[in-house]
Amino acid sequence: DIQMTQSPTSVSASPGDRVTITCRASQGVSSWLAWYQQKPGKAPKLLIYVASSLQSGVPSRFSGSGSGTDFTLTISSLQPEDFATYYCQQADSFPYTFGQGTKLEIK
Amino acid sequence: QVQLQESGPGLVKPSQTLSLTCTVSGGSISSGGHYWSWIRQVPGKGLEWIGFIYYSGTAYYNPSLKSRVTISVDTSKNQFSLKLNSVTAADTAVYYCASLGYNDRNFDYWGQGTLLTVSS
């Protein structure tokens, strides 16, 4: 199985800050990488797919980059509604696997 | 807009079989643009892909669960289902159904999730 490792595990930031979350795959996944946002008690929500494509309806302050084994999710200017847990997920090979999550908290 | 809704018992006894159904609305399971998936999340933990099925009946399972899992589809009811046998407390989780885009390989629509507890 491909292991997905996110860093940091948690991060504290303030509204208006720029935040970057990284995701590293244990082997190359090309661009088959997606990012999800999950709020407590809710299902994950797709933000970014194929590494850098913004899902319809997702604000442009979210962006993704990377290929191969190293990927980043950047939120350019944090809004109060962005405080949540973020997961990466590889779709290069079965079984599809997720990172352990990064919890974004208000400072 | 595709919507998914899980249904099933909230409690299952150890060694029994877990059965969940996902009803799809706002789109047809038979449209061919998606695989229909199950994902679970132990409370407070990460996400685990269980498997998915295409409308034709072709299914793919996570090897870690493959010996205990069956996913089926009923196109006439626009539903797909999960069966997980020989459950233990380790199977206690929130179970989500989701659509997996055929081309982009992302989970684009999700159900709200249903908590399933394994306990005697």
Side-chain angles (χ1 to χ4, degrees), chain A residues 14-35:
Chain A
S14 301
D17 286 352
R18 178 184 181 92
V19 169
T20 297
I21 298 169
T22 65
C23 178
R24 175 163 289 175
S26 60
Q27 64 189 72
V29 298
S30 186
S31 293
W32 295 112
L33 192 285
W35 290 97

Side-chain angles (χ1 to χ4, degrees), chain B residues 9-59:
Chain B
L11 181 66
V12 177
K13 289 180 169 36
S15 79
Q16 292 190 340
T17 296
L18 170 168
S19 296
L20 296 173
T21 295
C22 183
T23 300
V24 179
S25 59
S28 171
I29 274 187
S30 303
S31 66
H34 290 90
Y35 293 102
W36 303 97
S37 313
W38 290 97
I39 295 161
R40 70 180 182 178
Q41 185 173 35
V42 173
K45 302 295 185 182
L47 297 155
E48 180 180 32
W49 170 68
I50 298 170
F52 55 68
I53 192 165
Y54 198 50
Y55 76 95
S56 62
T58 301

Side-chain angles (χ1 to χ4, degrees), chain A residues 3 9 12-13 18 21 23 30-32 38 42-43 45 53 56 71 73-75 81-83 86 96-97 99-100 107:
Chain A
Q3 305 302 314
T9 302
S12 296
R18 178 184 181 92
I21 298 169
C23 178
S30 186
S31 293
W32 295 112
Q38 186 177 34
K42 300 294 187 181
K45 172 188 173 183
S53 294
S56 175
F71 301 86
L73 171 71
T74 298
I75 310 172
E81 61 268 28
D82 299 336
F83 292 94
Y86 293 84
Y96 291 173
T97 47
Q100 82 279 16
K107 184 182 288 183

